[in-house]
Amino acid sequence: MSTKSQHQDLPPGQQLVAAGKWPIIGERLPSQSAKPWSLVISGCVTEPVSFTLDQLRSMPQSKLTIDIHCVTRWSKLDVETSGVFLADLLATADLQPNAKFVSFSSRSNRQHATSLSLDTALALQTMIALNVEGEPLGIDHGGPIRNIVPGRYFYKSVKWLEQIELMPVDRLGYWEAESGYHNQADPWKEQRYMAPTIDKRTAIRLIESRDFSNQDLRSIDASQRNLENLNARGASLRDARFTGANLANAIFSDSNLSNAHFHNANLRGANFSNADVEGADFSGADLRETDFSGCSLIGASFFTEENKTHVGAIIDATTILPDSILAPLFPAQLKFVKQKLGQR
Ligand SMILES: Nc1nc2c(c(=O)[nH]1)N[C@H]1C(S)=C(S)[C@@H](COP(=O)(O)O)O[C@H]1N2
Ligand SMILES: [Mo]
């Protein structure tokens, strides 16, 4: 059986990776174990069921062509996977009537997991994938056994799957609990993050102190604020809003700025060394004397094209964007940055 998810174009805020590229996001390897790979169905079942890798391989295999949408704004379309549909696998177990949610957990040092309502997981044609493009799934992309949830951001697809637990109530997954990733994760609705964790008054007090160092301020709204010389070293600032803010000489070293919004911000002389800026938007920002040494740039944008107007970042000979970190940029973004840097 072969199926294709129904959407052809890109969800809002996503860009295509270069042909043939597939970034590795999050954990890069499973935890070390001498145990052979297996998959257990547990929780709200009359009797837990366990499959060896060979048993999974000898079950009837289904094919599914999927589109990958990472929350850090890269997409990869038309990836052919095959394996066993969750529905077919669960048909081998005796589910109890209180099985309402399903948690997928992986062989991972941090017990990485994610969850969905059982109805949603089945409706989306969740696949226990063993192969991609006709080859066994590589260990770096979650092989030999990975779940694939089409139609959700890719963090709902855990690598190195070893347990499927049926649950009466939901339990937040690793990213959902640690990083505030949205528990529904529908890319067509741009459900990237849950609501911010700090209230407006706290945000204003912090903005006035200009000290964000080592704090968890996910989704903080500091747009249009004067934050010159801000100290945000080691801060967690996923999805933070700095649109139009004055961040001249701000320090963001070692901070997490995934999906942060720096559109039209003044970042002159700011220091991003070793920061995670995956999916961050720098369009229209002033990046003269800004230091990006050691940054992770997967999914980052330095220009946007809105209603045919081009909004580019100000990059010149003083911008520190070493060649060694440019490779993961989207093709068009890379071209833009190289052109600007080439003018030096
Ligand atoms: N075990 C495990 N599974 C994981 C993650 C992880 O860190 N550990 N990261 C998730 C995220 S955020 C994404 S985008 C995808 C990345 O898969 P890839 O590295 O094969 O591209 O895996 C998801 N599953
Ligand atoms: Mo992700």
Side-chain angles (χ1 to χ4, degrees):
M1 187 174 102
S2 191
T3 338
K4 169 76 183 116
S5 38
Q6 64 269 53
H7 291 285
Q8 283 304 321
D9 38 16
L10 282 175
Q14 296 294 116
Q15 295 180 63
L16 282 181
V17 286
K21 278 211 183 179
W22 183 358
I24 295 172
I25 304 289
E27 294 176 296
R28 306 185 80 85
L29 284 173
S31 56
Q32 298 238 323
S33 168
K35 268 194 310 174
W37 285 95
S38 66
L39 178 58
V40 177
I41 305 175
S42 65
C44 305
V45 286
T46 309
E47 193 85 65
V49 193
S50 179
F51 299 88
T52 64
L53 181 54
D54 280 343
Q55 284 171 330
L56 289 174
R57 287 200 176 119
S58 54
M59 289 179 74
Q61 304 289 295
S62 303
K63 279 188 183 175
L64 186 68
T65 302
I66 57 146
D67 295 335
I68 297 174
H69 304 299
C70 177
V71 72
T72 57
R73 300 178 188 275
W74 59 267
S75 292
K76 181 176 173 63
L77 305 185
D78 293 326
V79 180
E80 194 200 287
T81 66
S82 66
V84 183
F85 279 121
L86 177 68
D88 295 339
L89 199 69
L90 291 185
T92 67
D94 185 21
L95 267 60
Q96 293 170 343
N98 61 344
K100 297 287 184 224
F101 294 88
V102 57
S103 171
F104 302 91
S105 56
S106 59
R107 180 180 287 190
S108 142
N109 291 327
R110 62 187 185 203
Q111 320 239 288
H112 196 100
T114 195
S115 71
L116 289 160
S117 84
L118 182 56
D119 287 348
T120 304
L122 294 173
L124 291 171
Q125 294 192 290
T126 296
M127 158 82 83
I128 310 309
L130 306 172
N131 292 287
V132 165
E133 307 295 359
E135 299 288 328
L137 183 56
I139 192 110
D140 49 349
H141 285 302
I145 308 168
R146 164 176 207 156
N147 86 318
I148 297 260
V149 182
R152 289 293 178 267
Y153 285 124
F154 209 33
Y155 59 86
K156 288 291 177 184
S157 300
V158 296
K159 304 189 263 197
W160 319 296
L161 177 69
E162 64 174 7
Q163 186 173 326
I164 298 175
E165 184 186 345
L166 283 313
M167 310 182 298
V169 290
D170 200 7
R171 186 201 306 133
L172 284 185
Y174 180 85
W175 288 121
E176 293 87 338
E178 280 301 299
S179 308
Y181 283 5
H182 201 292
N183 200 28
Q184 309 305 323
D186 184 342
W188 300 96
K189 297 182 183 159
E190 264 208 282
Q191 293 170 324
R192 295 180 202 270
Y193 294 93
M194 317 271 209
T197 43
I198 53 164
D199 59 80
K200 220 169 169 153
R201 204 171 293 172
T202 312
I204 288 168
R205 188 175 47 71
L206 281 159
I207 288 164
E208 281 167 0
S209 78
R210 296 199 197 176
D211 185 3
F212 291 5
S213 56
N214 300 311
Q215 302 196 60
D216 182 1
L217 304 176
R218 176 177 58 79
S219 305
I220 189 172
D221 187 356
S223 35
Q224 313 299 336
R225 298 285 180 163
N226 181 12
L227 285 165
E228 206 175 336
N229 299 314
L230 171 73
N231 176 9
R233 195 185 292 275
S236 176
L237 290 163
R238 291 173 191 269
D239 190 42
R241 283 125 214 275
F242 291 112
T243 302
N246 178 10
L247 291 159
N249 299 312
I251 299 168
F252 288 107
S253 312
D254 303 307
S255 62
N256 189 318
L257 290 156
S258 321
N259 291 320
H261 308 265
F262 289 108
H263 180 73
N264 288 346
N266 175 9
L267 286 165
R268 261 193 108 146
N271 186 340
F272 285 94
S273 57
N274 302 314
D276 180 345
V277 294
E278 291 177 4
D281 175 16
F282 293 101
S283 60
D286 188 341
L287 301 179
R288 286 173 288 177
E289 294 145 51
T290 307
D291 185 354
F292 288 96
S293 312
C295 280
S296 172
L297 291 177
I298 299 172
S301 288
F302 292 88
F303 77 88
T304 52
E305 216 71 67
E306 271 159 37
N307 310 317
K308 299 208 168 119
T309 37
H310 172 100
V311 185
I314 305 170
I315 294 173
D316 73 3
T318 64
T319 308
I320 305 169
L321 261 171
D323 264 358
S324 55
I325 63 164
L326 296 182
L329 284 175
F330 295 116
Q333 297 290 338
L334 181 62
K335 198 171 153 213
F336 171 82
V337 168
K338 285 237 164 178
Q339 230 162 37
K340 293 279 170 188
L341 292 172
Q343 287 163 9
R344 50 183 160 200

